[in-house]
Amino acid sequence: MIDTHIHADARSGEDFNEMYLSGIDAAVTCAYYPYKIDNDTILLNHLMRILNYDTKRAEEHGLDLKVALGIHPTNTSVDGEIIYENLYEWIENKEIVAIGEIGLEDLTQKEYEIFERQLDIAEETKTNVIIHTPRKNKEKVLDEILGILPQHISPEYVVIDHINPNVVEKAIDSDYTLGLTVQPQKMDKYEAISILDEYGFDNFLLNSDMSNKASDPLSVPKTVRELSKQGFNKKDIDKIAFKNAEKFFNF
Ligand SMILES: [Zn+2]
């Protein structure tokens, strides 16, 4: 299995070990610093830590950790230029599989600026983006994101993440890949399965978004097992367990 969105820097080796033992071979870890940083060097250090340190920690437990880096909307108090320069380098060196997670949260002017700049870099370098949608105000923010994307990036590079039953209708007819996050206080496995049952398995990725907030490192295997238990066919289950992720991220 592949967990397509985690925050490895906030988690222990024990979590990686449990994930690996439960059948997760690879995960994509995303950038997010859970505190307002107004200094670019500190944010850059956070990103370098994920790239050079957390990947090794995960590897020690068998987990193949792929990396997405960028400026999360929570961290948009920075200037950004140093991060953009580094993004070009990481992409060129194939050190990252996506720019992410990026997106909008409180809809400030700075958030829009930094989000749009990173979409442009992704389009220019033909790189995937992992786009965050917030817990609160999700519908409005998703509308904003759906309004912005067509002017900046081709849909094939985009996954819009943390889609839930309340907003899935808005995004389902687009050509974007959609992320389903099974996490306490966000969405449970039954809600994720109801979305897959209704809209099919082709356009979705599955993840735990395990982070510093309440999380279940095993939410991907638990959802996959529940799908088996409910009798969904193996071909569909394989799509959501790993095939769609392999295809989207080009693993
Ligand atoms: Zn996240």
Side-chain angles (χ1 to χ4, degrees):
M1 283 170 266
I2 299 173
D3 189 335
T4 60
H5 184 141
I6 70 169
H7 296 277
D9 54 298
R11 308 299 303 196
S12 68
E14 285 82 358
D15 288 340
F16 306 148
N17 195 45
E18 260 194 277
M19 290 166 78
Y20 179 68
L21 293 176
S22 304
I24 298 178
D25 297 298
V28 179
T29 195
C30 299
Y32 160 66
Y33 197 86
Y35 184 74
K36 284 224 181 300
I37 298 176
D38 57 8
N39 179 309
D40 286 71
T41 309
I42 295 175
L43 183 58
L44 182 60
N45 285 349
H46 162 65
L47 303 182
M48 299 293 255
R49 174 223 150 123
I50 295 171
L51 195 60
N52 299 317
Y53 176 67
D54 293 308
T55 47
K56 294 215 169 57
R57 281 199 311 129
E59 200 183 306
E60 281 168 20
H61 297 278
L63 190 66
D64 181 8
L65 194 63
K66 314 283 190 188
V67 177
L69 297 179
I71 307 174
H72 187 283
T74 301
N75 304 132
T76 47
S77 307
V78 296
D79 168 64
E81 287 303 327
I82 303 170
I83 309 296
Y84 306 141
E85 278 169 36
N86 278 276
L87 277 175
Y88 281 108
E89 217 166 286
W90 294 321
I91 291 163
E92 165 111 29
N93 297 337
K94 300 191 180 341
E95 290 175 282
I96 61 176
V97 297
I99 298 177
E101 64 191 295
I102 60 174
L104 299 171
E105 179 88 30
D106 299 321
L107 304 178
T108 65
Q109 199 45 47
K110 199 73 191 293
E111 281 183 15
Y112 282 96
E113 251 169 62
I114 288 180
F115 178 46
E116 290 174 25
R117 178 73 181 269
Q118 293 182 100
L119 292 175
D120 292 338
I121 294 172
E123 175 70 17
E124 184 192 335
T125 58
K126 300 183 172 12
T127 303
N128 290 324
V129 289
I130 298 172
I131 300 182
H132 158 95
T133 55
R135 289 167 192 242
K136 47 176 198 204
N137 221 3
K138 193 184 275 292
E139 289 197 34
K140 173 151 180 21
V141 175
L142 178 60
D143 284 338
E144 287 296 308
I145 288 169
L146 289 170
I148 289 168
L149 289 178
Q151 300 142 43
H152 294 274
I153 190 161
S154 325
E156 62 193 283
Y157 301 130
V158 175
V159 55
I160 304 178
D161 222 321
H162 320 320
I163 291 295
N164 66 24
N166 299 330
V167 300
V168 63
E169 273 294 335
K170 282 183 186 292
I172 195 69
D173 290 328
S174 64
D175 292 324
Y176 305 117
T177 298
L178 305 178
L180 299 176
T181 299
V182 175
Q183 187 180 24
Q185 300 164 9
K186 221 179 236 172
M187 181 164 72
D188 67 28
K189 62 186 177 187
Y190 302 106
E191 291 172 295
I193 289 171
S194 74
I195 292 176
L196 294 167
D197 192 25
E198 184 163 356
Y199 300 100
F201 287 69
D202 289 345
N203 296 329
F204 294 97
L205 303 180
L206 187 61
N207 60 69
S208 67
D209 196 12
M210 68 168 189
S211 65
N212 59 314
K213 302 197 181 87
S215 302
D216 180 357
L218 301 185
S219 72
V220 166
K222 284 177 185 172
T223 307
V224 168
R225 280 301 204 187
E226 183 62 30
L227 284 163
S228 293
K229 204 169 125 201
Q230 292 188 19
F232 285 87
N233 79 58
K234 188 169 181 313
K235 233 175 129 192
D236 280 338
I237 296 173
D238 284 354
K239 283 182 193 169
I240 198 71
F242 65 96
K243 283 209 164 130
N244 292 353
E246 278 181 343
K247 202 165 130 202
F248 180 79
F249 289 109
N250 222 343
F251 288 170

